[in-house]
Amino acid sequence: MILTVTMNPSIDISYQLDHLVIDDVNRVSQVDKVAGGKGLNVSKVINLLNCDVLATGITGGYFGQFIENQLKQLELAYKFYHIDQETRSCIAILHDGGKQTEVLEGGPVLSEKEGQAFLDHFQGLLKDANLVTMSGSLPKGLGSDYYAKMVDLIHASGKKALLDTSGASLADALSAKPDLIKPNESELQQLLGQKIDLDDEEALKKALSSEVFDGIEWIVVSLGAKGAFAKHNDQFFEAKIPKIKVVSPVGSGDSTLAGMAVAMDSGLAPQEVLKYGMTTGMLNTMQAKTGWIDPELFTEYHDQVQVVEK
Ligand code: ATP
């Protein structure tokens, strides 16, 4: 079973408006409310691939219940740790021919006691998991070394830790040596304190070989329509993907992580792990829904991904 972690989930609300009027009333007829957060996107894609998944993280109040109800409808198993504060909502207003205005709540602020209680809850779930994905930001109140603590617990139980986060929570987790990280261009630059030209293969190889990444099995730099470049132990791989019709790229990185987790869980070779990630990433871009794929198309697109050692 793959255990997925979403520490700060949200109800993602989207409003479609022809025109957004500031400082006046906007009436909306097209409303969508979905259980969101990067880790929940990962969970949904793993579920759609028909693999065993258990979603955990922190939920609270009526909004937390809303999230759990939606997962129940998707027949996606979950065991969240419950707090008294309400789970957050994030609003995206799609307006004026392609513009997107977002209003994002910060979410609950956790006490040290709640942080420790979640770690205890999490530790209890590890025995049934083969590997764990952790995605997204940490709730306020938890130290930036919180993911490092989780990675230590995962490793102590002999399981693999796949981490997709950014900023201080990523930087502070590196010393715990997660088994996979997925930094994008700005995260790489932030971690290394220098500009990296992603089109320069030698520069990219050098960057991924930096001391800060020592001991991390997988470093995956996904490059949108250009595929990905990755380091697996001492090997480098380039993944090339076919040109496809993109409907919405939101959540493609999460879908990539889901595909890689499924392949790793099945014990597939590194090239196949990357190929799975590219396939699920692409399949997500072909859907309007975030964190969603059509599994029937998997083989067709998987066969068009090329992974070469560099
Ligand atoms: P996000 O944070 O929005 O989830 P990300 O920056 O982590 O995304 P991307 O590199 O944009 O991740 O996308 C992940 C993968 O999804 C890519 O490696 C590729 O396989 C697929 N993908 C994303 N965008 C496109 C696109 N425009 N065309 C084809 N495939 C895409």
Side-chain angles (χ1 to χ4, degrees):
M1 180 263 279
I2 298 173
L3 180 63
T4 61
V5 180
T6 315
M7 293 302 289
N8 204 6
S10 63
I11 297 178
D12 290 345
I13 303 172
S14 77
Y15 294 145
Q16 299 254 8
L17 286 174
D18 287 339
H19 178 54
L20 176 67
V21 189
I22 304 294
D23 202 23
D24 206 344
V25 173
N26 291 273
R27 295 192 192 279
V28 191
S29 54
Q30 207 175 330
V31 179
D32 206 18
K33 294 183 184 175
V34 296
K38 289 172 71 63
L40 292 186
N41 295 339
V42 176
S43 320
K44 289 181 209 172
V45 173
I46 296 174
N47 201 38
L48 287 164
L49 289 171
N50 230 346
C51 293
D52 262 357
V53 59
L54 179 70
T56 190
I58 293 177
T59 55
Y62 290 108
F63 293 122
Q65 196 58 54
F66 178 94
I67 286 189
E68 296 190 5
N69 286 344
Q70 275 210 349
L71 298 184
K72 201 179 282 169
Q73 280 166 22
L74 296 172
E75 295 181 21
L76 203 163
Y78 55 83
K79 278 187 186 160
F80 289 97
Y81 179 76
H82 293 146
I83 55 170
D84 291 338
Q85 297 165 76
E86 288 287 341
T87 288
R88 67 187 175 140
S89 298
C90 293
I91 301 172
I93 308 167
L94 311 162
H95 61 99
D96 296 279
K99 287 192 179 150
Q100 181 159 338
T101 302
E102 298 190 11
V103 183
L104 311 180
E105 291 180 24
V109 180
L110 265 64
S111 66
E112 213 179 307
K113 203 170 148 201
E114 286 169 323
Q116 185 52 51
F118 176 75
L119 289 180
D120 295 341
H121 169 84
F122 176 66
Q123 199 168 14
L125 300 176
L126 284 173
K127 61 179 185 315
D128 297 324
N130 295 329
L131 59 86
V132 183
T133 68
M134 293 164 285
S135 310
S137 60
L138 289 168
K140 288 194 195 73
L142 301 181
S144 58
D145 62 345
Y146 196 81
Y147 276 134
K149 290 181 189 165
M150 291 174 72
V151 172
D152 286 342
L153 289 176
I154 296 164
H155 285 164
S157 70
K159 314 295 165 77
K160 290 206 175 208
L162 284 55
L163 178 64
D164 183 12
T165 187
S166 56
S169 48
L170 173 60
D172 287 354
L174 296 184
S175 58
K177 311 286 171 212
D179 300 276
L180 181 147
I181 55 170
K182 211 182 78 48
N184 61 23
E185 184 175 6
S186 68
E187 283 149 15
L188 259 187
Q189 290 175 5
Q190 225 178 325
L191 290 171
L192 300 173
Q194 65 183 84
K195 200 164 164 34
I196 316 287
D197 178 1
L198 297 187
D199 291 323
D200 180 345
E201 194 180 298
E202 285 313 309
L204 199 45
K205 276 185 174 180
K206 201 168 158 223
L208 301 192
S209 305
S210 299
E211 225 178 304
V212 280
F213 300 132
D214 277 358
I216 298 177
E217 183 183 341
W218 274 104
I219 308 156
V220 182
V221 183
S222 65
L223 303 165
K226 288 188 190 161
F229 195 85
K231 179 171 181 281
H232 177 256
N233 294 327
D234 293 329
Q235 289 176 297
F236 293 95
F237 294 106
E238 182 186 36
K240 285 198 169 147
I241 58 174
K243 214 172 164 42
I244 53 168
K245 194 172 175 302
V246 173
V247 178
S248 165
V250 183
S252 302
D254 304 330
S255 304
T256 293
L257 185 66
M260 294 188 79
V262 165
M264 285 169 82
D265 187 41
S266 310
L268 300 183
Q271 285 93 329
E272 245 339 273
V273 170
L274 205 48
K275 233 173 151 176
Y276 263 58
M278 291 300 96
T279 308
T280 46
M282 280 192 291
L283 294 185
N284 176 75
T285 69
M286 297 164 75
Q287 304 284 328
K289 272 162 101 173
T290 300
W292 206 260
I293 62 164
D294 178 354
E296 305 246 310
L297 298 176
F298 186 91
T299 307
E300 182 186 338
Y301 286 88
H302 167 269
D303 292 351
Q304 296 178 59
V305 180
Q306 287 182 334
V307 175
V308 284
E309 192 174 348
K310 286 289 174 174

